[in-house]
């Protein structure tokens, strides 16, 4: 790959039933000064048809790869048409304003939730209660497709943690004291889900109850909502003095993470490129230290999240290494179902250092720090 980069090649297309080399190639690109290369797949697991292939071609095209569209559409009856009144370019084009009532929450008497997974919020009249609402789908949030369990796309628990942090910030709480997941938030193959977070009034200690519900967007009026999580938001003291400045940690021994995601996939946890963030790991005593980076595939809207769910989810992957990370260890893992004392100090992280420490049976402490 380095020789090809030196020869001026800028596009690397992996022809396989599922992309497994694109992450490694991207790491090589990042390591070569001045490299502006792109790594692309062709097909993906359970997506072996023409639609997936054309999607891959389109992904390359929007990143500058020359695609012979005449060949693509040969024999289909498609024909060229005149462009609209302005020439399309390879850049986003945003309208400067949106007419009230056509997508702007203010047009419906709501406030903008200012979050990629949430569209609007409302403070309930005569009650100290807040409701945040949004829509989730594989089309609007394509990185979610890279988080599957036994072939089913599931919103990671880390995303619900991020939503809880956003709700806590809205009501002036500093900590997600508790968050227990009750049912998986399954992303439908077609259409989307309506998601609601409800934050109750404070009790005598300032704590507020949080609930997370969803409903298919095509549900009939009065249809039941599914409960996915219940939690508690609190004021709390946040202790950020965890000290991850010495890196790698002195005296820590490297842990081999090559093939980690392939071994995890054999256990039914299918992490696509957006969630394959584990880069390196070390062991010191009974603790695991790791370096985790947000892959390019998930970088959209990273600055609008408190912490991107794909990055937070990947920061939990080193938990598997506590017991050695063998095939037997991986086969026995479970997705995290309860979180406690979660606090966020800084936003916009793309690379983090992680410390995982056992704190009891089936429980760990996880600390993340960015490069600053």
């Amino acid at each position: 790959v380095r020789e090809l980069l030196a020869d001026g090649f800028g596009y690397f297309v992996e022809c396989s039933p599922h992309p497994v080399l694109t992450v490694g190639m991207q790491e090589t690109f990042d390591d070569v000064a001045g490299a502006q290369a792109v790594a692309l797949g062709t097909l993906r697991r359970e997506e072996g048809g023409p639609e997936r292939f054309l999607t891959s071609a389109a992904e390359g095209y929007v990143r500058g790869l020359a695609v012979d569209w005449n060949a693509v559409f040969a024999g289909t009856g498609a024909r060229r048409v005149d462009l609209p009144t302005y020439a399309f370019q390879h850049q986003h084009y945003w309208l400067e304003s949106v007419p009230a009532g056509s997508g702007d929450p203010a047009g419906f008497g709501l406030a903008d939730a200012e979050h990629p997974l949430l569209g609007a919020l409302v403070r309930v009249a005569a009650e100290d209660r807040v409701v945040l609402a949004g829509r989730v789908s594989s089309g609007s949030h394509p990185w979610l497709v890279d988080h599957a369990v036994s072939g089913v796309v599931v919103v990671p628990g880390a995303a619900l943690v991020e939503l809880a942090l956003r709700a806590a910030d809205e009501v002036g709480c500093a900590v997600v004291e508790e968050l227990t997941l009750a049912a998986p938030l399954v992303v439908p193959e077609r259409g989307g889900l309506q998601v609601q977070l409800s934050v109750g009034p404070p009790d005598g200690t300032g704590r507020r109850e949080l609930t997370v519900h969803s409903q298919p967007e095509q549900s009939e009026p009065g249809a039941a909502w599914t409960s996915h999580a219940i939690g508690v938001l609190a004021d709390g003291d946040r202790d950020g003095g965890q000290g991850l400045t010495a890196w790698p940690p002195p005296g820590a021994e490297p842990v081999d993470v090559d093939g980690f995601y392939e071994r995890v996939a054999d256990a039914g946890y299918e992490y696509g490129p957006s969630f394959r963030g584990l880069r390196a790991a070390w062991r010191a005593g009974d603790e695991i230290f790791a370096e985790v980076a947000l892959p390019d595939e998930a970088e959209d809207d990273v600055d609008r999240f408190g912490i991107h769910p794909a990055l937070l989810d990947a920061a939990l992957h080193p938990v598997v290494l506590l017991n050695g990370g063998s095939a037997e260890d991986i086969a026995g893992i479970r997705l995290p179902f309860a979180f406690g004392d979660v606090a966020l100090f800084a936003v916009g992280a793309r690379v983090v250092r992680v410390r995982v420490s056992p704190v009891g049976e089936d429980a760990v402490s996880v600390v993340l720090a960015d490069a600053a």
Side-chain angles (χ1 to χ4, degrees):
V1 170
R2 293 176 185 273
E3 290 294 334
L4 290 168
L5 290 171
D7 287 342
F9 288 89
Y11 296 92
F12 294 75
V13 181
E14 179 176 355
C15 300
S16 70
H18 191 73
V20 294
L21 302 178
T22 55
V23 173
M25 286 192 288
Q26 187 61 53
E27 291 176 349
T28 302
F29 303 160
D30 296 340
D31 193 48
V32 176
Q36 298 294 324
V38 175
L40 299 167
T42 46
L43 308 178
R44 297 185 64 172
R45 187 180 296 111
E46 307 300 335
E47 297 180 45
E51 182 176 353
R52 175 66 253 177
F53 186 83
L54 289 175
T55 299
S56 297
E59 289 171 351
Y61 180 70
V62 299
R63 300 178 73 175
L65 179 66
V67 176
D68 184 355
W69 293 112
N70 288 327
V72 171
F73 290 103
T76 65
R79 59 184 178 83
R80 290 184 176 273
V81 297
D82 292 334
L83 289 174
T85 54
Y86 69 94
F88 287 112
Q89 295 177 321
H90 288 290
Q91 63 185 32
H92 293 289
Y93 181 82
W94 299 104
L95 297 176
E96 293 187 0
S97 62
V98 179
S102 62
D104 181 2
F108 301 97
L110 308 174
D112 189 346
E114 299 179 351
H115 192 277
L117 294 173
L118 299 169
L121 69 85
V122 59
R123 295 185 177 274
V124 181
E127 300 180 35
D128 193 357
R129 179 186 299 275
V130 176
V131 176
L132 300 97
R135 177 185 182 276
V136 173
S137 74
S138 58
S140 59
H141 306 91
W143 50 270
L144 286 173
V145 179
D146 287 338
H147 188 272
V149 179
S150 299
V152 177
V153 177
V154 178
V155 175
L160 299 186
V161 172
E162 162 65 12
L163 292 178
L165 287 168
R166 172 65 187 93
D169 183 62
E170 183 63 32
V171 298
C173 291
V175 176
V176 178
E177 189 173 86
E178 300 174 13
L179 186 68
T180 302
L181 310 186
L185 189 58
V186 177
V187 180
E189 293 185 6
R190 298 183 182 277
L193 292 174
Q194 297 175 346
V195 178
Q196 282 191 7
L197 281 77
S198 177
V199 183
D203 63 12
T205 64
R207 290 176 170 81
R208 292 173 177 261
E209 184 176 281
L210 167 76
T211 59
V212 181
H213 291 80
S214 82
Q215 184 185 76
E217 61 183 353
Q218 302 300 330
S219 297
E220 296 293 331
W225 289 71
T226 300
S227 174
H228 295 284
I230 186 170
V232 176
L233 311 179
D235 292 335
D237 295 324
R238 300 187 297 183
D239 178 16
Q242 299 291 345
L244 290 176
T245 53
W247 200 257
E253 296 294 328
V255 176
D256 184 10
V257 296
D258 288 343
F260 174 82
Y261 288 106
E262 287 72 23
R263 296 196 301 273
V264 171
D266 290 338
Y269 300 96
E270 301 161 14
Y271 296 109
S274 299
F275 284 82
R276 294 192 170 200
L278 181 60
R279 296 288 183 263
W282 298 264
R283 184 185 304 278
D286 60 352
E287 294 184 319
I288 292 291
F289 295 82
E291 185 168 289
V292 175
L294 185 66
D296 291 344
E297 289 84 353
E299 283 228 346
D300 288 349
D301 291 326
V302 61
D303 293 321
R304 297 179 61 211
F305 286 104
I307 180 168
H308 197 294
L311 183 66
L312 180 56
D313 188 86
L316 302 177
H317 298 172
V319 172
V320 178
L321 303 175
L322 280 174
N323 296 324
S326 67
E328 291 76 14
D329 296 325
I330 292 173
I333 66 173
R334 294 178 295 170
L335 294 176
F337 66 90
F339 300 82
D341 298 323
V342 183
L344 183 68
F345 302 91
V347 301
R350 289 168 169 78
V351 179
V352 291
R353 300 170 179 180
V354 183
R355 183 175 71 189
V356 179
S357 311
V359 292
E361 185 177 359
D362 290 332
V364 295
S365 165
V366 182
V367 178
L368 283 70
D370 61 22

